Amino acid sequence: MKKSILFILVLVGALHALIAQQHKTHTTVIDFNKDTVLDTLIHFNEYGSYCGGSDLTIINGKTKEKFFLTDQGCYSSFTRFVRVPTALNSKANAAFLKVVKDTLLPKERDSLDSSLKWIWSGSLSLQQPKEHPFFDRTAIPKTHWIPEPLTVSEPYYITVTGDSLQKIAPIFGPSYDEKFDAAFWVYYPSMLSKEKLAHNTPILKNNTYEIYNTAHSVYVKKGTSYKWLFISDNGVMGAPGKLRWDAIEQIQLIDNYLIIHQNLPPDPIYNIIIVNIETQHVARLKFEPCHETMTNERGMDTFEIRNKKLLFTAYGDPKVKKIPLKKLFQALDQF
């Protein structure tokens, strides 16, 4: 059912995107590498309803060699992955590489901040089991307890090479025709709500933990230390079509576990995410929780915890689905 509905939404969305897409091309002709021959930079911007970005083509005026890079991506992800043609990394083309960085990228950092570490390790550990009784996505986004309040950085990128590149590149799909041995991984964390993070108060607490949330994240305080528990990035557990739509709704704290209602507008469905605070195991229920049951009966607005069971309604099923919490948490800890 969900696939059929999503297919219709994609068709409608694609038509809407074609209408809403905007294109802009800017061409610069300058002797970038100071060899007395004019070079060309073509900067093509394309922005649609749900995806967009920039394509850069830089042409060496003397050799006519072309280099192409793109940061095209969808607005459901905090990151963009920009593959760098190997030849562009050569000393002879350093001037062209600088132009690319100045045009396309924010500032550079040499290491990941704590929130991007969650996305990085979550992406690398992601599994999508097909026969699991409860989950269709599982991951273990390993991060460390931080002895101070969490912060949200300004946009930045890191250069990825070697083993790290070989691990992360397949997540972003096949490479272009040209070979590459480096990539820029660009991070735009502003939708994690920097302003709210600085003045946040706990929404839940027990004797051990204080739980906080922003529009797209959940984090925890234990004693004087903090740790990210969940970030609503499309590459890990899924996300709304646009990050400007808030994703985090209900959260339940049960001992050292969290159950999170993650909204997915514009779809009429939501995800249920289960997190073990200490191990950081995170998983998404494989069912299709929905505000409407696709019958004449009204579905549940969100999940409920009742008699040590998780309750929610799903597409096409007027009956309330009930899963014992003990079984759910055991399954989470076993993968």
Side-chain angles (χ1 to χ4, degrees):
M1 175 66 72
K2 179 178 174 182
K3 289 183 179 179
S4 299
I5 292 175
L6 289 179
F7 179 70
I8 295 171
L9 288 173
V10 167
L11 289 179
V12 174
L15 178 60
H16 177 71
L18 286 173
I19 298 172
Q21 270 183 333
Q22 298 181 7
H23 308 268
K24 184 177 181 181
T25 302
H26 181 73
T27 301
T28 304
V29 180
I30 294 177
D31 181 10
F32 293 119
N33 61 351
K34 309 299 182 184
D35 65 354
T36 72
V37 180
L38 294 177
D39 310 300
T40 302
L41 175 70
I42 303 171
H43 187 186
F44 174 75
N45 289 301
E46 181 179 43
Y47 298 99
S49 295
Y50 295 99
C51 297
S54 296
D55 294 343
L56 283 186
T57 301
I58 192 162
I59 306 170
N60 185 324
K62 179 176 289 188
T63 67
K64 308 305 179 185
E65 187 175 16
K66 294 183 179 181
F67 305 105
F68 174 78
L69 302 92
T70 182
D71 71 351
Q72 294 277 353
C74 291
Y75 308 140
S76 56
S77 176
F78 286 94
T79 66
R80 299 293 178 92
F81 193 72
V82 183
R83 293 174 171 85
V84 183
T86 299
L88 189 58
N89 267 320
S90 68
K91 185 176 180 180
N93 291 317
F96 297 137
L97 183 60
K98 182 179 186 306
V99 171
V100 167
K101 290 181 176 181
D102 291 344
T103 305
L104 199 59
L105 304 175
K107 66 180 181 180
E108 184 175 18
R109 283 179 51 154
D110 57 8
S111 61
L112 307 180
D113 77 301
S114 58
S115 60
L116 189 52
K117 284 180 182 177
W118 191 96
I119 296 174
W120 172 278
S121 59
S123 298
L124 291 180
S125 62
L126 178 65
Q127 299 291 325
Q128 300 184 60
K130 295 183 179 180
E131 303 298 331
H132 197 282
F134 296 129
F135 308 130
D136 65 359
R137 284 195 173 209
T138 66
I140 310 175
K142 289 292 186 180
T143 59
H144 300 293
W145 290 101
I146 299 173
E148 57 191 14
L150 299 175
T151 59
V152 176
S153 72
E154 297 298 324
Y156 68 90
Y157 77 93
I158 63 166
T159 300
V160 187
T161 60
D163 291 342
S164 295
L165 178 63
Q166 297 306 312
K167 291 177 181 178
I168 201 72
I171 295 172
F172 296 93
S175 62
Y176 309 116
D177 291 337
E178 64 263 45
K179 294 180 179 180
F180 68 99
D181 57 10
F184 304 131
W185 200 30
V186 192
Y187 184 36
Y188 298 101
S190 59
M191 298 307 290
L192 285 177
S193 304
K194 177 184 296 187
E195 294 77 12
K196 182 176 180 180
L197 201 66
H199 303 93
N200 220 348
T201 56
I203 59 168
L204 295 167
K205 62 172 65 176
N206 59 21
N207 292 333
T208 306
Y209 307 111
E210 293 182 0
I211 305 300
Y212 300 77
N213 79 294
T214 70
H216 287 279
S217 70
V218 180
Y219 62 99
V220 60
K221 178 183 180 184
K222 183 171 74 169
T224 59
S225 297
Y226 295 78
K227 183 167 62 174
W228 297 100
L229 294 177
F230 179 73
I231 296 175
S232 190
D233 181 83
N234 191 53
V236 186
M237 289 289 132
K242 299 178 183 178
L243 294 178
R244 65 178 176 83
W245 290 319
D246 290 3
I248 307 301
E249 192 164 310
Q250 182 188 180
I251 304 174
Q252 288 288 337
L253 171 62
I254 304 165
D255 299 325
N256 61 302
Y257 297 93
L258 289 182
I259 303 179
I260 302 169
H261 171 138
Q262 181 200 34
N263 268 332
L264 296 177
D267 296 338
I269 60 173
Y270 63 93
N271 289 332
I272 296 178
I273 308 295
I274 317 296
V275 182
N276 183 318
I277 295 174
E278 292 298 333
T279 67
Q280 292 194 275
H281 283 216
V282 56
R284 186 178 78 179
L285 285 192
K286 70 177 185 179
F287 310 103
E288 301 171 16
C290 183
H291 305 295
E292 301 286 351
T293 65
M294 305 293 291
T295 69
N296 293 328
E297 297 187 32
R298 174 72 179 171
M300 295 170 62
D301 287 332
T302 184
F303 68 80
E304 293 181 16
I305 305 297
R306 194 187 308 162
N307 298 324
K308 297 184 178 180
K309 294 180 181 179
L310 173 66
L311 283 63
F312 60 93
T313 53
Y315 269 118
D317 188 353
K319 295 182 180 180
V320 175
K321 191 172 292 293
K322 302 176 182 180
I323 304 176
L325 295 178
K326 184 177 181 180
K327 288 186 177 181
L328 197 61
F329 296 154
Q330 286 177 342
L332 178 72
D333 294 336
Q334 287 172 358
F335 71 78

